[in-house]
């Protein structure tokens, strides 16, 4: 009796296992058939760059370098505009320490030879200190 119950139990599990294996096989078969079908839009797919002629890579590189150079020029123009704005203004700060009435004054001017003179004046209650900086820079 126990031998017959074991055989029935093994048979039931074997049938269930064949169903699971068959379902997995069908799923794998559907994936394989989908992989073998051609794509609908082959026009947008481009072969890898290393399989194309070297002139194609050189052309793409030159286009990318053009974009990089345009960004560098626009950044340079923005910085030149900011610096010219700073050169036109006299930078005077109000007292930063109200208790001691300390004042810092900054001014900058461009000389005829293209160098920039920076003047910083620190006003303390007891003394006045002036610091002059001279920096040679290229004209923007």
């Amino acid at each position: 009796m126990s031998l017959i119950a074991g055989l029935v139990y093994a048979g039931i599990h074997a049938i269930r296992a064949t169903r699971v294996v068959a379902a997995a096989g069908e799923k794998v078969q559907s994936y394989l058939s989908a992989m073998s079908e051609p794509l609908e839009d082959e026009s947008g797919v481009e072969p890898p760059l290393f399989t194309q002629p070297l002139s194609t890579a050189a052309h793409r590189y030159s286009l990318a370098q053009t974009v990089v150079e345009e960004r560098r020029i626009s950044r340079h123009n923005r910085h030149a505009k900011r610096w010219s704005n700073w050169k036109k203004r006299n930078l005077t700060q109000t007292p930063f320490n109200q208790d001691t009435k300390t004042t810092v004054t900054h001014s900058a001017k461009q000389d005829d030879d293209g160098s920039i003179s920076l003047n910083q004046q620190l006003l303390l209650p007891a003394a006045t200190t002036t610091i002059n900086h001279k920096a040679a820079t290229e004209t923007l």
Side-chain angles (χ1 to χ4, degrees), residues 89-91 105-109 117-120:
R89 290 194 282 164
N90 185 5
L91 303 176
T105 305
H106 301 281
S107 64
K109 68 175 183 171
S117 297
L118 302 173
N119 294 319
Q120 178 180 4

Side-chain angles (χ1 to χ4, degrees), residues 72-106:
R72 188 192 67 77
I73 290 170
S74 69
R75 184 177 61 232
H76 175 76
N77 290 339
R78 281 194 318 269
H79 289 175
K81 184 178 177 182
R82 285 187 196 129
W83 277 103
S84 68
N85 191 16
W86 279 102
K87 284 192 278 187
K88 291 176 187 173
R89 290 194 282 164
N90 185 5
L91 303 176
T92 306
Q93 294 181 353
T94 58
F96 63 86
N97 188 348
Q98 295 296 333
D99 297 337
T100 60
K101 303 292 186 207
T102 304
T103 310
V104 178
T105 305
H106 301 281

Side-chain angles (χ1 to χ4, degrees), residues 30-38:
S30 69
Y31 289 142
L32 289 175
S33 65
M35 287 174 40
S36 65
E37 292 176 4

